[in-house]
Amino acid sequence: AQKVTQAQTEISVVEKEDVTLDCVYETRDTTYYLFWYKQPPSGELVFLIRRNSFDEQNEISGRYSWNFQKSTSSFNFTITASQVVDSAVYFCALGSYNNNDMRFGAGTRLTVKP
Amino acid sequence: GAGVSQSPRYKVAKRGQDVALRCDPISGHVSLFWYQQALGQGPEFLTYFQNEAQLDKSGLPSDRFFAERPEGSVSTLKIQRTQQEDSAVYLCASNTGQGFGELFFGEGSRLTVL
């Protein structure tokens, strides 16, 4: 069975702090994809990143970075020097190569205070 | 517009009423997905279309839920005899259908059943 766990329900930080959002997944598939989406108050899910199971290279995009570790089945997301505009709910998701059923975690609500 | 469009954005229904939610995907996108997002939860997969074919409807919670995409573009999610537990945001997403690419989400239709 596929499952995504985001243990942190809510995180609150002060602007300019770094923050890491945790994501742990379970799957029996050898080929799979991991995603992070941001959901601002408007409700639309905004794509941030996709990684496939064969690419464990960490990635950095501006203030965002992702740490994919197959050994611990984790795909953590770090925001460096957080800003108020980063306030949103962040979802980690797992997609199987064999079907199109993308499983989402329950989300982490990040609040960045000025 | 260029994005996924959903209507209505908000729908209030009395218990027992039928509702229809519309999704207009990005032009040319082959794959279309419906998700249900309960308050404080991550999106849950409902069903998936490739063109007009409904390839997976395993996530539909009951036979009161029905989705169609007759011409392979616009899709309608219909809920018959609505119940209070159907209250949620219904998200539509689309993608090109090539590989397991990112999903482009609409802003959702928030259904409240009284």
Side-chain angles (χ1 to χ4, degrees):
Chain A
Q2 298 202 119
K3 183 180 178 182
V4 176
T5 302
Q6 294 179 255
Q8 305 150 307
T9 305
E10 295 193 32
I11 299 176
S12 181
V13 299
V14 177
E15 207 170 20
K16 298 185 182 175
E17 284 186 22
D18 298 349
V19 58
T20 295
L21 309 181
D22 297 333
C23 173
V24 175
Y25 63 92
E26 295 176 30
T27 181
R28 292 179 181 170
D29 293 334
T30 54
T31 303
Y32 53 89
Y33 299 84
L34 294 163
F35 301 79
W36 275 95
Y37 279 85
K38 174 181 181 180
Q39 189 173 44
S42 62
E44 184 175 345
L45 282 157
V46 177
F47 169 81
L48 295 178
I49 190 171
R50 179 188 80 153
R51 305 297 286 175
N52 72 52
S53 51
F54 298 108
D55 183 1
E56 285 191 74
Q57 266 195 325
N58 292 329
E59 182 159 339
I60 298 174
S61 176
R63 295 184 297 106
Y64 296 168
S65 62
W66 291 269
N67 182 2
F68 176 26
Q69 292 195 343
K70 281 179 83 169
S71 61
T72 55
S73 297
S74 66
F75 186 45
N76 296 338
F77 172 31
T78 297
I79 302 175
T80 302
S82 59
Q83 299 176 0
V84 173
V85 294
D86 296 327
S87 297
V89 181
Y90 291 86
F91 291 98
C92 180
L94 169 66
S96 167
Y97 182 79
N98 295 319
N99 61 53
N100 283 283
D101 180 0
M102 183 185 284
R103 299 279 175 166
F104 285 80
T108 298
R109 179 177 298 278
L110 173 65
T111 302
V112 181
K113 298 178 181 177
Chain B
V4 177
S5 178
Q6 291 188 247
S7 61
R9 287 292 315 277
Y10 303 93
K11 175 69 178 178
V12 178
K14 291 183 180 178
R15 192 161 60 96
Q17 281 184 333
D18 297 348
V19 299
L21 308 176
R22 174 189 168 104
C23 173
D24 199 342
I26 293 173
S27 178
H29 275 192
V30 168
S31 299
L32 185 145
F33 304 77
W34 283 99
Y35 284 82
Q36 179 190 58
Q37 187 176 17
L39 189 65
Q41 300 295 317
E44 297 277 349
F45 171 81
L46 293 178
T47 186
Y48 155 64
F49 290 86
Q50 188 161 323
N51 295 307
E52 68 278 4
Q54 189 174 20
L55 299 187
D56 187 346
K57 53 182 181 179
S58 61
L60 295 176
S62 76
D63 59 7
R64 296 184 298 103
F65 286 71
F66 171 76
E68 60 183 5
R69 194 186 185 198
E71 297 178 0
S73 58
V74 171
S75 176
T76 303
L77 176 67
K78 297 179 180 178
I79 309 172
Q80 298 176 323
R81 304 181 304 281
T82 53
Q83 300 179 3
Q84 284 191 322
E85 59 262 32
D86 299 333
S87 295
V89 175
Y90 291 85
L91 295 165
C92 178
S94 68
N95 73 8
T96 60
Q98 296 179 356
F100 207 110
E102 64 173 286
L103 296 184
F104 294 84
F105 282 85
E107 291 182 317
S109 292
R110 181 179 296 277
L111 172 65
T112 302
V113 182
L114 303 177

